Every structure is written in C-alpha cells, then in structure tokens.
Amino acid sequence: MSLLVVGSVAFDGIETPYGKVDRTLGGAASYFALAASHFVPVRLVGIVGEDFTEKDRAIFHGRGIDLSGLEHAPGKTFFWAGRYSQNMNERTTLATELNVFANFRPTLPDSFADSAYIFLANIDPTLQRSVLHQVRRKPKVVGLDTMNYWIERTPAELREILKHTQILMINDDETRQLSGEHNLMRAARHVFKMGPKTLVIKRGEHGALMVHNRFLFSVPAFPLEEVHDPTGAGDSFAGGFMGYLASTGRVNEQTLRRAMVYGSVLGSFTVERFGVERLTHLTRREIHARARRFAHLTTFTL
Ligand code: AMP
C-alpha cells in the first residue's frame, strides 16, 4: 500500500540536558518517513536548499523512501532550533528560519498521484489542500497534523482541509484550541463535526488517546529510563501509526488500536537518541519486541 507524506525537511539545532547538536537532519516529513519506512515504502514530498548534500540524502537511501518528490531549490534548507528544560517538559524555540520552505508549493510527481494513504504533516492548510487536489483517485486514508499557528491564523482554510481528513493527529493543547472545549471528550465530538471521524491526541510523556465515534483507546508512552531528545516524537508516532495502518491495508477498530501501539513504539525509540539517529538504527525485531512489551504493560484481568 502506497504511503505519501508531505511536510518539512529541515536542519535542526537541539539542546537538551544530555547534550547539544548544532545541525542535524530533522523536519516532520523526515521523522515520519524514517519511522513509517519500517512498515511500508514511503513517498516523500518536501523542499530543501543547496546546503542539503548527497550525505544528507543518503540518510534516506536503502530504506524504501522515494525522494523523487523532494525538490532542491536555490537557497538554504529550513532551519529550526530549540532548547529543552531540565525535565524536558518545556521547549523554547530559539530559531525558525523558513528559507526555501517559505516558497514551498508541494508538487506531486506523476508516480505519486495514486497514493492510497496520505499524511499531511504540519504545513499551511492551503498547501495541504493542494496536495489532495493532485491525487488522482480518492485516498483510502488522509491523516493530518497542524499547529496553533494555523489554528489561529487560517481557521477557514483549516476547516476546509479537515472536511477531507479521516484521522486528525494533534496534541492536547491544539485539540482544545481547535474545538474551543477544555474537556477532551467534548472536544472530540466537536472535531467530528468538522470532518475527521478519528481523533488521535498526542500527549507526550502521557501517551496518546484515540477517540473514534464508536470506541476509545488509550496507549501509554513507553516508560524509558532516559529520554535524550524529544524532538520528532510526534512525527515518528504519526509515521509508526500510518505506516502500520498502510501495511495492513485495512482500517478497522483492531488495526487502529494496533496503529496506536506502533505509533507509540516508534515515538519511544526516536527519543532515545538525538535527531533521527535511533530511527536509522532500528530493526523490525526491536520494533515488534517493544510492541509486545506494550501488550504486557497494558494487559490485566478483572
Ligand atoms: P515535533 O518535535 O514533533 O514538534 O517536531 C519537530 C520537528 O518539526 C523538527 O524537526 C523541526 O524541524 C520541525 N518544525 C519546527 N517548526 C516547524 C514549522 N513551523 N513547520 C514545519 N516543521 C517545523
């Protein structure tokens, strides 16, 4: 099953209590693609600048990630920098330099136009909509992420793309902001009226909650002794979730529940190391072993 992701490819500067890197591969689409590629081949659409070298491209090589939709433009690649607090619960953004990303107009290569599973990572909702216009037949699943900036600045455009979205994956603050409801269950009901019938609320160290109009499912964050860098956890969660779902070819309660677990598994591996490093040194065996540990972690009898 073909899985397409559209979103940022970036260089990140990251500071956490465990260390500091000045420039490492990042961006939502990078984390998503590397996580999802453990399940299915991935098609990536994004933009990078002249400073993005063959060495950077090579990180995606040999993993079934098709980069024919990665545009190289004159100028510099999107740069983002952030610093985490001592307990890792807060993040201060130190720099957001859009560079070539400011003029990003996603263009799908012809060979991507039949994509059945699509993830629209956090970008301008108008651009997210333009991606769906370029798809030739109705996708099986459209997943979408967004952020406070778009909820505040482009509410009408966001409403429009939500009408075409089946699975909305956002964090708890964004859920409250989008719905105007503090209670997450009431917020979900509000979201269902906008289009998506599945809401996945990412809650960082508290795991993730899936609210479907017929059932609820909750998954914890994997209890790790050391979190080195939380960057990209949400995007890796989305990659594990959509990758697993696409690998089954079926969307039902059982596959959605398992997708939540694989999302949490991939998110938990990402935060063990800086940047995308852990995702690039990860085996299927490790993924399935951790999924089994999730099963043990959450099973009980009454
Ligand atoms: P997360 O930790 O899930 O918030 O994702 C972090 C990734 O998002 C980093 O690798 C950044 O390069 C990327 N990022 C930061 N700000 C933006 C933005 N405004 N638009 C798109 N991607 C961004």
Side-chain angles (χ1 to χ4, degrees):
M1 282 288 176
S2 46
L3 174 60
L4 170 75
V5 59
V6 182
S8 58
V9 175
F11 288 125
D12 289 346
I14 304 165
E15 252 182 271
T16 85
Y18 283 89
K20 184 172 184 285
V21 291
D22 293 332
R23 185 183 183 273
T24 187
L25 177 75
S30 306
Y31 282 103
F32 181 97
L34 290 165
S37 68
H38 291 283
F39 300 91
V40 283
V42 183
R43 301 163 167 182
L44 189 153
V45 171
I47 189 166
V48 292
E50 291 151 321
D51 50 352
F52 193 87
T53 61
E54 225 10 81
K55 210 170 139 202
D56 300 310
R57 242 182 122 82
I59 296 173
F60 297 99
H61 284 172
R63 304 182 187 279
I65 301 173
D66 186 338
L67 294 182
S68 49
L70 184 63
E71 183 187 338
H72 283 253
K76 285 170 75 175
T77 302
F78 175 48
F79 177 76
W80 174 84
R83 181 193 296 135
Y84 291 85
S85 61
Q86 203 62 31
N87 62 11
M88 301 262 194
N89 284 340
E90 275 152 53
R91 177 166 86 186
T92 309
T93 295
L94 303 174
T96 303
E97 296 166 16
L98 291 177
N99 301 324
V100 294
F101 198 49
N103 299 316
F104 182 39
R105 298 287 171 274
T107 308
L108 266 58
D110 248 11
S111 57
F112 287 11
D114 62 350
S115 301
Y117 289 76
I118 298 180
F119 187 72
L120 304 168
N122 169 32
I123 53 170
D124 182 338
T126 309
L127 301 184
Q128 292 177 320
R129 184 74 191 98
S130 82
V131 170
L132 294 193
H133 277 137
Q134 296 172 58
V135 176
R136 261 198 303 272
R137 42 166 215 234
K138 197 174 178 311
K140 200 167 158 79
V141 176
V142 175
L144 183 135
D145 186 11
T146 190
M147 68 189 288
N148 53 359
Y149 183 90
W150 305 116
I151 298 171
E152 283 158 26
R153 309 273 175 107
T154 59
E157 291 80 355
L158 184 56
R159 290 278 181 136
E160 178 52 34
I161 184 65
L162 284 174
K163 289 182 198 160
H164 307 275
T165 300
Q166 284 78 48
I167 305 178
L168 177 62
M169 284 192 224
I170 50 181
N171 68 30
D172 34 11
D173 286 342
E174 291 154 357
T175 304
R176 292 186 170 112
Q177 197 179 7
L178 176 66
S179 63
E181 290 277 1
H182 185 78
N183 177 285
L184 293 178
M185 299 311 295
R186 290 169 66 99
R189 227 178 307 142
H190 219 92
V191 166
F192 293 157
K193 289 192 199 128
M194 300 178 190
K197 290 294 168 263
T198 306
L199 170 64
V200 175
I201 306 170
K202 297 175 286 183
R203 311 187 66 205
E205 62 172 336
H206 303 296
L209 175 69
M210 178 162 60
V211 191
H212 182 278
N213 52 9
R214 282 184 292 103
F215 62 89
L216 271 176
F217 185 63
S218 173
V219 67
F222 191 73
L224 293 167
E225 285 202 19
E226 283 187 354
V227 170
H228 283 201
D229 170 20
T231 310
D235 307 309
S236 306
F237 178 97
F241 184 105
M242 291 291 290
Y244 172 75
L245 209 56
S247 75
T248 69
R250 288 191 306 277
V251 185
N252 56 40
E253 180 171 347
Q254 194 180 49
T255 57
L256 284 168
R257 282 171 181 262
R258 288 203 191 114
M260 286 286 285
V261 172
Y262 283 105
S264 220
V265 166
L266 270 292
S268 72
F269 278 120
T270 292
V271 303
E272 287 182 352
R273 299 273 181 282
F274 271 70
V276 299
E277 208 224 303
R278 188 67 177 97
L279 288 179
T280 61
H281 295 96
L282 187 58
T283 63
R284 276 194 194 170
R285 224 184 138 111
E286 287 177 306
I287 291 172
H288 294 304
R290 187 162 289 184
R292 278 193 296 278
R293 292 187 66 187
F294 265 91
H296 284 295
L297 187 63
T298 53
T299 304
F300 65 97
T301 52
L302 281 180

